[in-house]
Amino acid sequence: MNTPVTTDSVTESTPMPSRRAAFGLAAAGGIAISGVGQAASAFAAPAAIPLAPVMPEWISDLAGGLDMKSTREWHLARRVAPAPTKAVMKEIQSRGYNAWIDRQLKPKKISDAKADGLVKKYLSFANMTGKQVVKASHDMPWKAGKALSISRTVRHVFTKRYLYESMVDTMGDHLYVAAEGKVEDLVAWYDWAVLRKYALGKFSQMLYAAMRHPAMLVFLDNQLNSKDNPNENLGRELLELHTVGVGNYDETDVRQSALILTGHGYDWDKRAYHYEPGDHYTGPVRVMGFTHPNATAADGPAVLKAYLSYLSHHPGTAHHIAHRLAVRYVSDNPPAALVDRLAQVYLDNGTELAPVMRTLLRSQEFIDSVGEKWKRPQETMATMIKARKPSTLKPAAKQTGDIWGITGDVQWLLYLENHQPRMWPVVNGYPDQAQAWMATQAMLAHFYSANARVNWGNDKEFPSKSWASALGVTKGMTAVAAATKISTDLTGFTWNAKHLALVTARIKGDGPDILTSDQLKYNLGKTIHFVLCSPYFKIR
């Protein structure tokens, strides 16, 4: 594919982010909010310039100055695989574009023995219920959340179920529960019982499972929600974040939503979901177009099930889900016509997510969207690890001990980049737009991580080939051939002559055009680092 990106620049003024979004973006290092927390003063003179710039709602031209020469197969690999590499692209070429998509939409038919086996062997807490992990961890159940976070990196590197694992992360950001904090003993259970079970299934079933799972209930305080003291946290986020979205409900609907959820909580002794009839509000309830007599306390579970079914099948939810998927896989500002089509597919297929993804990935809008997405740190980290072709995982630590040491420096580097899996501090999940991940702080953190992956020596935790061997760069190659191979194989783009010359200069150094052993020894690392720090690599 030789499709240059030619989007128009944003000229209209964009709104300030919401309070929740502003906090989240600041946490991600994407923006600095001027004046947050400052008291207004009638005597203070207005600042001549903002304390810090507020970036636009989306960045309209991520690929400015780049030719973006790629192939359809590379484009699909970059968007779908958590760690897109040349090997993934070759698999797409071998199977055929549409056939590969159809296979990925049926993950149970794809063996993922290596990824599953490594998680089972070294991070078994991630596969347990809250009750099971208490016993297995010797009363350190908080380690389950950390095991889950680390397991996401392991799966990103070793999975063969690329689209499935990508959708687990996407829906994990949609029905978000943090892996650190008050439900860190329950969140791994939530991951496999809700997200992994329904990632490409029916959203209606995923939502029902989520709203009855202890992790979600406790994360949003619904165990405190009773008829005598309603707590609106889950009732509000169910409408705003999980289903119909802002503009489809009002504050009365939020209150009624919370009342429907009363009584649904958590049994701390059994460490399981528990419905307490005595805490459930009774009487007629109405949320938007949903009504129910809710006559007795015994009706509570049935009312909740009917309510969640109504929300799952609502056109607002269809559009909300379609927009999230389009933002994730197509563009930060996806075409409205595409979102509308995806929403209709969602409704026509009874909330099934697989048909929506099939339509999306085969759409012309997707094919034409080269250069319109920016990688998040989890993706760049996993790609840098996988590009060196690790054979397995060999932790220097155990989950019962220094659990963060299982993947060496990786989780620490992701911490510095503010993208440890499921560690976002806000209830709306990690942002998926470029403006959150390309400000100075974010880019410096990526440059640091890239240097660590390339120049800090061999990984004990991810035993792999040398960079030269992994990339097929040998002495006797011309500097231009080596530069072309490194840049293309790591990014999937054919760099223009001006930019390729920069890569060539680095691998050549002061030496001859035909590479020697010394040139590889002293110049290869800084050449790879340069490529990994380039916008070609960061474009998703």
Side-chain angles (χ1 to χ4, degrees):
M1 178 186 299
N2 298 312
T3 309
V5 178
T6 56
T7 54
D8 294 330
S9 297
V10 178
T11 56
E12 69 273 20
S13 61
T14 54
M16 288 289 287
S18 68
R19 185 169 179 268
R20 176 191 291 145
F23 173 76
L25 293 172
I31 61 174
I33 305 300
S34 62
V36 172
Q38 296 184 357
S41 170
F43 303 100
I49 57 174
L51 297 179
V54 175
M55 295 183 75
E57 189 175 357
W58 71 84
I59 307 298
S60 64
D61 189 3
L62 301 177
L66 308 183
D67 289 343
M68 294 286 95
K69 293 181 180 178
S70 189
T71 67
R72 188 171 70 157
E73 291 79 13
W74 256 115
H75 177 53
L76 181 60
R78 279 191 298 268
R79 292 294 171 85
V80 167
T85 60
K86 184 179 180 180
V88 179
M89 182 276 293
K90 288 288 189 181
E91 182 184 324
I92 298 171
Q93 279 186 332
S94 176
R95 291 187 179 276
Y97 188 91
N98 288 340
W100 187 86
I101 292 172
D102 290 342
R103 186 170 184 264
Q104 288 292 317
L105 289 169
K106 300 176 181 178
K108 290 182 179 180
K109 293 188 176 182
I110 302 173
S111 173
D112 219 15
K114 175 166 280 189
D116 289 341
L118 292 173
V119 172
K120 182 179 180 180
K121 183 175 182 179
Y122 298 115
L123 295 159
S124 59
F125 295 165
N127 295 332
M128 297 179 183
T129 66
K131 187 174 183 178
Q132 289 170 335
V133 80
V134 171
K135 181 178 180 181
S137 66
H138 305 295
D139 291 322
M140 293 186 291
W142 49 269
K143 288 197 170 185
K146 293 170 175 55
L148 165 64
S149 185
I150 297 167
S151 76
R152 296 307 303 142
T153 299
V154 173
R155 290 191 182 278
H156 291 165
V157 173
F158 293 105
T159 188
K160 297 293 184 182
R161 298 171 176 172
Y162 310 111
L163 178 56
Y164 170 73
E165 292 298 344
S166 178
M167 282 293 286
V168 169
D169 285 333
T170 301
M171 300 315 294
D173 281 331
H174 188 74
L175 295 171
Y176 187 71
V177 174
E180 191 168 54
K182 59 185 175 182
V183 295
E184 54 195 353
D185 57 329
L186 303 171
V187 68
W189 175 21
Y190 174 82
D191 182 75
W192 61 258
V194 177
L195 302 175
R196 300 186 66 77
K197 186 173 182 179
Y198 299 108
L200 283 167
K202 286 190 174 184
F203 179 73
S204 56
Q205 294 177 334
M206 182 189 293
L207 182 68
Y208 182 65
M211 293 304 126
R212 296 176 77 254
H213 196 282
M216 179 63 79
L217 293 167
V218 177
F219 183 58
L220 289 175
D221 302 319
N222 208 70
Q223 83 282 8
L224 305 176
N225 184 20
S226 69
K227 62 183 181 183
D228 298 323
N229 188 26
N231 184 297
E232 295 182 356
N233 283 1
L234 182 56
R236 180 180 299 277
E237 305 303 0
L238 173 59
L239 293 172
E240 179 178 344
L241 299 180
H242 304 151
T243 59
V244 297
V246 174
N248 286 295
Y249 63 90
D250 59 24
E251 287 302 309
T252 299
D253 293 320
V254 170
R255 184 68 168 183
Q256 291 284 292
S257 180
L259 293 178
I260 291 172
L261 286 160
T262 53
H264 297 274
Y266 182 51
D267 187 320
W268 294 92
D269 294 327
K270 296 181 179 180
R271 290 182 175 267
Y273 162 80
H274 174 70
Y275 175 67
E276 181 54 57
D279 286 338
H280 182 66
Y281 168 85
T282 57
V285 288
R286 175 189 292 273
V287 179
M288 300 181 297
F290 173 80
T291 61
H292 198 287
N294 189 34
T296 69
D299 291 336
V303 176
L304 178 62
K305 187 173 185 179
Y307 175 50
L308 295 177
S309 178
Y310 165 81
L311 291 177
S312 298
H313 293 84
H314 192 281
T317 301
H319 192 275
H320 196 177
I321 296 293
H323 186 266
R324 175 175 285 279
L325 295 177
V327 166
R328 175 66 186 151
Y329 294 99
V330 180
S331 170
D332 287 3
N333 183 39
L338 173 64
V339 174
D340 290 343
R341 291 206 314 276
L342 297 178
Q344 193 59 53
V345 172
Y346 171 94
L347 293 172
D348 290 345
N349 288 273
T351 80
E352 284 276 1
L353 296 174
V356 179
M357 287 305 301
R358 179 180 288 107
T359 301
L360 185 156
L361 295 175
R362 291 187 177 185
S363 71
Q364 194 62 43
E365 291 93 337
F366 174 79
I367 292 171
D368 291 343
S369 68
V370 176
E372 295 186 24
K373 288 298 299 181
W374 195 252
K375 287 190 183 83
R376 300 192 294 183
Q378 287 179 31
E379 295 149 10
T380 55
M381 182 62 67
T383 303
M384 290 188 291
I385 297 171
K386 188 172 182 177
R388 197 164 171 172
K389 299 181 179 179
S391 58
T392 189
L393 176 69
K394 288 188 176 180
K398 296 181 179 181
Q399 62 180 349
T400 52
D402 177 21
I403 189 168
W404 289 125
I406 287 177
T407 52
D409 295 323
V410 169
Q411 303 306 125
W412 175 66
L413 292 171
L414 285 171
Y415 165 76
L416 294 181
E417 293 199 62
N418 290 298
H419 204 207
Q420 283 179 287
R422 308 282 172 81
M423 295 287 187
W424 182 241
V426 193
V427 298
N428 59 346
Y430 281 107
D432 204 2
Q433 289 82 14
Q435 50 94 8
W437 304 106
M438 65 187 306
T440 302
Q441 178 182 335
M443 293 308 301
L444 287 175
H446 168 66
F447 298 161
Y448 184 83
S449 288
N451 181 58
R453 298 310 310 158
V454 176
N455 296 317
W456 283 10
N458 296 329
D459 281 324
K460 295 179 180 179
E461 294 80 13
F462 293 96
S464 57
K465 301 178 180 182
S466 68
W467 275 110
S469 178
L471 294 174
V473 178
T474 62
K475 67 177 183 178
M477 294 180 72
T478 66
V480 172
T484 301
K485 187 168 185 55
I486 294 166
S487 59
T488 303
D489 288 2
L490 286 177
T491 70
F493 292 107
T494 300
W495 293 32
N496 65 37
K498 179 181 179 181
H499 296 156
L500 184 63
L502 300 174
V503 184
T504 304
R506 277 163 174 74
I507 190 67
K508 181 181 176 181
D510 297 328
D513 289 332
I514 305 299
L515 296 181
T516 65
S517 296
D518 280 349
Q519 283 172 297
L520 292 182
K521 180 178 180 181
Y522 295 110
N523 298 344
L524 182 59
K526 65 181 181 182
T527 304
I528 295 171
H529 181 235
F530 176 79
V531 171
L532 295 179
C533 292
S534 72
Y536 287 102
F537 181 72
K538 288 293 288 181
I539 290 290
R540 178 167 169 262

